[in-house]
Amino acid sequence: MRCCGIQHQQCSNISTAAAKSMLGFSEDKRPTIRELRNAYFVAAKRCHPDVVKQQHPDDEEAFDFRDITIAYEHLLHGDHIEYNPEEADNI
């Protein structure tokens, strides 16, 4: 499986640009926590193993569900999001 053009074994060292791309953000976008969370849920639903097997059984280029999670974690725990204290309290 590949994720956004990156071989799977390299996803643990994912770049910020690749992580943003996988979740649908432009490279210069600094998402809020809420935007990041919503983008993750959309991507995770689209890339869930059950969905991929049913809708795209022969697509070897599909994002791997784990890669979406790695991208989310990279952006969430790095200094890559716009912090909004009011938003953080409601999530």
Side-chain angles (χ1 to χ4, degrees):
M1 276 264 169
R2 291 168 46 137
C3 59
C4 199
I6 301 170
Q7 292 297 336
H8 183 68
Q9 59 267 26
Q10 296 173 341
C11 285
S12 60
N13 298 323
I14 192 169
S15 71
T16 300
K20 287 181 177 182
S21 175
M22 290 175 69
L23 294 172
F25 297 114
S26 64
E27 198 171 324
D28 61 340
K29 173 71 174 165
R30 193 172 168 96
T32 65
I33 294 170
R34 185 175 308 280
E35 290 172 330
L36 179 60
R37 184 175 185 215
N38 289 341
Y40 171 72
F41 283 132
V42 168
K45 287 177 190 175
R46 184 180 66 241
C47 298
H48 191 277
D50 292 338
V51 173
V52 172
K53 285 179 188 174
Q54 289 175 3
Q55 295 180 1
H56 311 284
D58 299 326
D59 189 0
E60 294 184 18
E61 298 292 314
F63 291 126
D64 187 314
F65 184 74
R66 294 168 293 187
D67 299 332
I68 297 296
T69 302
I70 290 168
Y72 171 77
E73 294 290 331
H74 174 81
L75 295 175
L76 182 64
H77 297 297
D79 186 28
H80 308 291
I81 57 173
E82 189 68 37
Y83 182 72
N84 180 344
E86 292 176 12
E87 192 175 276
D89 292 339
N90 294 323
I91 294 183

